[in-house]
Amino acid sequence: NLSLANLLTVAGAGTSTFTGGGSFAGLSSSVGLRVSAGDTSFAGGLQVTGSSNLTGNVGIGTSSPATTLSAAGSGYFTGGLGAGYATTGTGNIVASDFLLSRGRLGVNATGSPAVEFGVTGSGYLTGGLGVGYATSGSGNLLVSDLAVIRGRLGVNATTSPVTEFGVAGSGYLTGGLGIGEATTSPGGLLVKGQGVFDQTLLIRGTGTSTFSG
């Protein structure tokens, strides 16, 4: 093992190899480990108590790091990880810009997510959510294609809707409304079965209304 109480300076373009371990007390103006040029390889372990100043790329598990810090293998952090932003929150990942995942991403997942983005639990968005279409509207849900709701859907509902589709307030359709049967007639109301109206039914237009019953 290599143990230093003062400064170790390695200069030049060659490669320095330590077959044992290295222990350094820390880094101040004259104490610690500084590597300014060339490669330094530790075949054993390296333990640094304090700060370190490394000029160049650092590789963990790789002898050819492509970036400032490259790790070949798994990683474990007892604290947080910040990208472009410092964080001390335990278990947090904080990115000051976008976060890119090349594979599947699971939030609160106990196993591998079945799709590209999986969430186990509830979610809350202060902005909007776009599926197949980008949106920046606060509180908006924008779907460019088919939306499948496995449970009940409440629009402007304050509590759980009592039926599969519940609306609290008024509605406006530029097309037609079919109940029990599809219709594409603009402004048309097609009811297949019994229609019960508790209030006045107002019919406008020059067309013909037919009641079979």
mmCIF file of all heavy atoms in Angstrom, residues 21 45 49 60-61 78 95 168 178 200:
data_model
loop_
_atom_site.group_PDB
_atom_site.id
_atom_site.type_symbol
_atom_site.label_atom_id
_atom_site.label_comp_id
_atom_site.label_asym_id
_atom_site.label_seq_id
_atom_site.Cartn_x
_atom_site.Cartn_y
_atom_site.Cartn_z
ATOM 1 N N GLY A 21 -2.677 -0.803 -2.870
ATOM 2 C CA GLY A 21 -3.670 0.233 -2.638
ATOM 3 C C GLY A 21 -3.005 1.562 -2.363
ATOM 4 O O GLY A 21 -1.796 1.659 -2.147
ATOM 5 N N GLY A 45 -6.814 -0.965 -4.162
ATOM 6 C CA GLY A 45 -7.855 -0.018 -3.798
ATOM 7 C C GLY A 45 -7.308 1.392 -3.661
ATOM 8 O O GLY A 45 -6.105 1.607 -3.515
ATOM 9 N N THR A 49 -9.613 10.420 1.845
ATOM 10 C CA THR A 49 -10.396 11.094 2.873
ATOM 11 C C THR A 49 -10.244 12.592 2.664
ATOM 12 O O THR A 49 -9.185 13.156 2.908
ATOM 13 C CB THR A 49 -9.932 10.702 4.278
ATOM 14 O OG1 THR A 49 -10.023 9.279 4.418
ATOM 15 C CG2 THR A 49 -10.776 11.373 5.346
ATOM 16 N N ILE A 60 -14.316 4.243 -13.646
ATOM 17 C CA ILE A 60 -14.534 3.247 -12.604
ATOM 18 C C ILE A 60 -14.940 1.958 -13.303
ATOM 19 O O ILE A 60 -15.994 1.879 -13.936
ATOM 20 C CB ILE A 60 -15.631 3.695 -11.621
ATOM 21 C CG1 ILE A 60 -15.249 5.030 -10.972
ATOM 22 C CG2 ILE A 60 -15.860 2.636 -10.549
ATOM 23 C CD1 ILE A 60 -16.328 5.593 -10.069
ATOM 24 N N GLY A 61 -14.085 0.979 -13.234
ATOM 25 C CA GLY A 61 -14.345 -0.279 -13.918
ATOM 26 C C GLY A 61 -14.011 -0.241 -15.393
ATOM 27 O O GLY A 61 -14.301 -1.189 -16.116
ATOM 28 N N THR A 78 -25.872 6.444 -1.272
ATOM 29 C CA THR A 78 -26.645 6.549 -0.039
ATOM 30 C C THR A 78 -27.313 7.911 0.080
ATOM 31 O O THR A 78 -28.265 8.077 0.837
ATOM 32 C CB THR A 78 -25.745 6.330 1.183
ATOM 33 O OG1 THR A 78 -24.670 7.289 1.153
ATOM 34 C CG2 THR A 78 -25.149 4.927 1.159
ATOM 35 N N ALA A 95 -32.217 16.874 -11.927
ATOM 36 C CA ALA A 95 -31.588 17.307 -13.168
ATOM 37 C C ALA A 95 -32.028 18.732 -13.460
ATOM 38 O O ALA A 95 -33.227 19.040 -13.419
ATOM 39 C CB ALA A 95 -31.974 16.381 -14.321
ATOM 40 N N ALA A 168 -70.448 17.246 -14.434
ATOM 41 C CA ALA A 168 -71.014 18.245 -13.543
ATOM 42 C C ALA A 168 -70.925 19.592 -14.253
ATOM 43 O O ALA A 168 -69.864 20.200 -14.312
ATOM 44 C CB ALA A 168 -70.265 18.271 -12.217
ATOM 45 N N GLY A 178 -74.996 10.021 -29.851
ATOM 46 C CA GLY A 178 -75.724 8.772 -29.980
ATOM 47 C C GLY A 178 -75.751 8.020 -28.669
ATOM 48 O O GLY A 178 -74.717 7.854 -28.025
ATOM 49 N N THR A 200 -87.539 20.516 -20.263
ATOM 50 C CA THR A 200 -88.025 20.775 -21.609
ATOM 51 C C THR A 200 -87.034 20.284 -22.668
ATOM 52 O O THR A 200 -85.820 20.473 -22.512
ATOM 53 C CB THR A 200 -88.273 22.280 -21.800
ATOM 54 O OG1 THR A 200 -89.217 22.723 -20.816
ATOM 55 C CG2 THR A 200 -88.824 22.577 -23.180
#
